[in-house]
Amino acid sequence: MGAYILRRLLLVIPTLLGIMIINFTLVQFVPGGPVEQIIARMEGGGDVFEGFAGGGADVETQSAGVSERYIGARGLPPEFIAELEREFGFDKPPLERFLNMLWNYVRLDFGESYFRSIGVIDLVLEKMPVSISLGLWSTLIAYIVSIPLGIRKAVKDGSSFDTWTSGAIIVAYAIPGFLFAILLLVLFAGGSYWQIFPLRGLTSDNWDQLSLIGKIADYFWHITLPVLAMTISAFATLTLLTKNSFLDEIKKQYVMTARAKGLAERRVLYGHVFRNAMLIVIAGFPAVFIGVFFSSSLIIETIFSLDGLGRLGFEAAVARDYPVIFGTLFIFGLMSLVVGILSDIMYVLVDPRIDFEKREG
């Protein structure tokens, strides 16, 4: 197992490097960089993409010099454009910029956002409360509901209960999260029927003035609808995984032996079957745990006016905020690769019969 873990750790470096190279290369061919964003704002365009939509005539009439590379830069001094390039580091060749970026990341220096004057790490930490709230509670609800439901479906396999619950979770899985979110808003957030839950934000404006109990109540009052919207499609996979794991274990010889000895069905299920059937669920805990902290949904956050990692990534991509884009890509990519290794280790810990080294051979 030690040799397997070492090989996996060594593979993290080229894999992460490949991810960064591919994304950095693609960005070089995407129009509308940070310099164009600033030019568009100075020219009153508001967004660089408006210039791309209707700026074809400008290209032919631009003056010679460095500004010719930027749509909408007519009238701006070339020296100003060159200074912008130096400020963002675009006066250097792409390869040099890429190597400098990697060297900074190795030293855990992720830089500052181009447009927010705040460090990338601080920006991620600022947005994480929303993502943690959505990820934590949606995961807990999914586990609390799916595991008992999956066990019940396994015990009642083939019954009417199993049939209609399967239909229900498949329908829930098929419903887009954003559509369910809009339905919740219409029904319970003052859309057309009841004004029960707030429409936006993670807390109320008078949060600081509330008591401890009031703060807790206000927090859950705000996250109820977005958590429900994120959870609706999360039941199917975990429920069916639990059911199938239990069905596989129930058919094994040791279960028949336990029943033949006269053990109560409840003791057979929860004293013997449960711990074996839950191995696959337990082994996936590292990935689930990390996912709790970084779960984000752009559409859900937008609908409920929440400022989390989903919106952060989208806004960074639109604004071409490269430090945020590549910094978060590096952090999340590294964590995903490490979590994959931890999941394999967890499999071995919960079931020593698994040997990845033999499988690789």
Side-chain angles (χ1 to χ4, degrees):
M1 186 63 183
Y4 171 78
I5 294 175
L6 180 60
R7 286 196 298 271
R8 287 292 302 272
L9 287 174
L10 292 176
L11 280 174
V12 167
I13 298 175
T15 304
L16 186 60
L17 182 61
I19 293 173
M20 299 302 296
I21 290 175
I22 291 173
N23 285 275
F24 187 86
T25 303
L26 290 176
V27 164
Q28 307 310 307
F29 300 98
V30 176
V35 175
E36 288 93 332
Q37 293 286 346
I38 292 180
I39 292 173
R41 295 178 185 180
M42 294 185 64
E43 295 292 334
D47 193 287
V48 69
F49 299 108
E50 296 178 9
F52 285 113
D58 288 340
V59 178
E60 298 178 358
T61 58
Q62 285 172 359
S63 60
V66 68
S67 61
E68 290 182 354
R69 296 197 302 270
Y70 302 104
I71 294 176
R74 184 178 54 186
L76 293 177
E79 296 80 8
F80 176 75
I81 304 298
E83 180 60 31
L84 283 179
E85 288 186 330
R86 283 193 295 272
E87 182 178 345
F88 289 121
F90 296 133
D91 57 328
K92 301 181 179 65
L95 179 60
E96 183 178 349
R97 286 190 282 118
F98 178 74
L99 294 177
N100 289 336
M101 180 183 70
L102 288 185
W103 173 242
N104 290 332
Y105 288 177
V106 169
R107 295 182 292 128
L108 301 182
D109 179 9
F110 297 96
E112 289 190 353
S113 167
Y114 283 158
F115 305 105
R116 305 190 189 212
S117 298
I118 182 175
V120 173
I121 295 296
D122 295 331
L123 192 57
V124 170
L125 293 176
E126 179 184 309
K127 308 300 181 183
M128 277 186 65
V130 170
S131 296
I132 290 176
S133 295
L134 297 179
L136 175 64
W137 296 114
S138 61
T139 301
L140 284 178
I141 293 174
Y143 269 72
I144 290 173
V145 174
S146 297
I147 292 178
L149 179 59
I151 295 173
R152 186 68 176 173
K153 284 174 64 62
V155 174
K156 298 289 186 180
D157 184 42
S159 66
S160 58
F161 173 82
D162 180 42
T163 301
W164 73 261
T165 52
S166 295
I169 62 174
I170 290 174
V171 170
Y173 182 76
I175 296 176
F178 75 91
L179 185 61
F180 188 62
I182 294 174
L183 177 63
L184 291 175
L185 285 179
V186 172
L187 292 177
F188 303 112
S192 300
Y193 295 90
W194 303 282
Q195 178 68 57
I196 300 176
F197 296 98
L199 183 60
R200 64 184 63 241
L202 197 61
T203 57
S204 299
D205 294 334
N206 63 338
W207 165 264
D208 294 331
Q209 304 172 6
L210 299 175
S211 63
L212 178 60
I213 297 178
K215 289 181 178 179
I216 295 174
D218 182 75
Y219 169 75
F220 283 106
W221 184 46
H222 279 77
I223 69 170
T224 298
L225 294 187
V227 166
L228 287 177
M230 285 194 64
T231 309
I232 184 65
S233 62
F235 296 118
T237 302
L238 187 56
T239 300
L240 296 179
L241 178 64
T242 303
K243 175 191 173 182
N244 293 332
S245 297
F246 261 78
L247 284 177
D248 290 340
E249 292 297 323
I250 288 174
K251 297 175 182 178
K252 291 184 177 179
Q253 184 65 41
Y254 75 90
V255 176
M256 299 175 62
T257 303
R259 287 172 173 169
K261 290 182 178 179
L263 293 180
E265 187 67 16
R266 185 176 184 84
R267 186 175 177 183
V268 172
L269 287 177
Y270 295 98
H272 296 78
V273 176
F274 182 82
R275 60 185 178 184
N276 294 323
M278 286 294 100
L279 290 180
I280 190 171
V281 177
I282 296 172
F285 179 76
V288 173
F289 181 76
I290 295 298
V292 163
F293 291 91
F294 297 101
S295 292
S296 56
S297 172
L298 169 63
I299 298 177
I300 299 299
E301 290 177 9
T302 302
I303 290 175
F304 292 100
S305 300
L306 298 172
D307 195 9
L309 293 175
R311 291 185 66 180
L312 172 65
F314 174 75
E315 291 171 358
V318 170
R320 301 298 192 266
D321 197 343
Y322 294 151
V324 177
I325 294 174
F326 291 117
T328 54
L329 177 66
F330 182 89
I331 295 171
F332 299 159
L334 178 61
M335 294 188 67
S336 297
L337 294 171
V338 172
V339 165
I341 299 174
L342 292 177
S343 296
D344 289 347
I345 296 174
M346 186 66 75
Y347 273 112
V348 175
L349 291 177
V350 298
D351 190 353
R353 295 171 297 177
I354 297 176
D355 191 337
F356 288 105
E357 291 186 9
K358 290 183 179 179
R359 291 190 177 188
E360 284 191 341

